[in-house]
Amino acid sequence: MKKIVRFGVSIPQDLLAKFDKIIDEKGYTNRSEAIRDLIRDFIVRHEWEVGDEEVAGTITIVYNHDEAEVVKELLDLQHDYIDEIVSSLHVHMDEHNCLEVVVVKGKATRIKKIAERLISLKGVKHGKLVMTTTGRELV
C-alpha cells in the first residue's frame, strides 16, 4: 500500500464553501477524494501539453451526412492515421445528422492534429477532443 501524506492548504473561505457545495453535488465522500481527482486531472493535462507521452482520448463530432465530402474525408482521415485511431463509433441521430466518436491513442501532438482536422471538416457542426491518459503514469 502506498504511503498517504497529509498536507494543509490555505484558501479563502468563500472558495472553500463553493468547492464543498460542488463536491457534495458530485457525491464525493470527502475533500481528499475530490482533491486527488483534481490532481490527477492536472497531471493528465500536463501530459497533453508536453506532448512527449503517449496519451489517449476521444474525438466526438456531429456532422451532416448530406455533405458528400465529410463522409469521404472522415474515412480518408481514419486511414491516414491508422496507427493512432483505435476505433470509431457511428450513430445516426436523425435523417441528416450523425454522431461519430473516434477513439485515439498516441503522441499528444499527433492526436491534437487529428482532432483539428476532423473538427474543421466542412459539414461538421460540432466537435470536441476529450483528452485522457493511458493510465500508465497515474497512481
Side-chain angles (χ1 to χ4, degrees):
M1 182 173 173
K2 302 253 182 195
K3 183 180 177 185
I4 300 295
V5 177
R6 294 185 188 276
F7 67 97
V9 178
S10 300
I11 60 174
Q13 186 175 6
D14 59 338
L15 184 59
L16 182 60
K18 288 179 182 180
F19 184 67
D20 285 342
K21 183 176 185 264
I22 293 169
I23 65 173
D24 185 54
E25 288 172 6
K26 291 189 173 278
Y28 284 98
T29 57
N30 56 55
R31 290 178 185 151
S32 293
E33 288 186 17
I35 291 169
R36 278 191 292 270
D37 278 353
L38 290 171
I39 291 171
R40 286 185 190 108
D41 187 58
F42 186 76
I43 292 167
V44 168
R45 277 188 283 131
H46 181 71
E47 285 180 7
W48 278 85
E49 290 167 2
V50 171
D52 293 326
E53 300 295 322
E54 186 174 80
V55 295
T58 59
I59 305 164
T60 303
I61 59 170
V62 174
Y63 65 93
N64 180 345
H65 81 263
D66 295 327
E67 295 273 346
E69 285 300 305
V70 73
V71 176
K72 181 188 177 316
E73 288 290 327
L74 254 172
L75 292 173
D76 288 347
L77 194 68
Q78 290 183 39
H79 284 98
D80 290 346
Y81 292 97
I82 199 159
D83 291 333
E84 290 83 11
I85 295 178
V86 177
S87 180
S88 64
L89 169 70
H90 181 87
V91 179
H92 300 279
M93 303 300 285
D94 58 34
E95 62 273 4
H96 301 287
N97 296 292
C98 296
L99 171 79
E100 192 91 14
V101 180
V102 180
V103 179
V104 289
K105 185 173 90 170
K107 299 288 185 188
T109 51
R110 296 259 310 160
I111 302 305
K112 287 185 222 176
K113 184 177 180 179
I114 296 168
E116 289 166 358
R117 283 191 57 196
L118 273 174
I119 293 167
S120 67
L121 288 174
K122 183 179 179 189
V124 172
K125 295 179 173 185
H126 179 258
K128 184 157 184 89
L129 169 63
V130 176
M131 302 173 291
T132 190
T133 178
T134 62
R136 211 174 328 191
E137 302 296 323
L138 282 181
V139 275

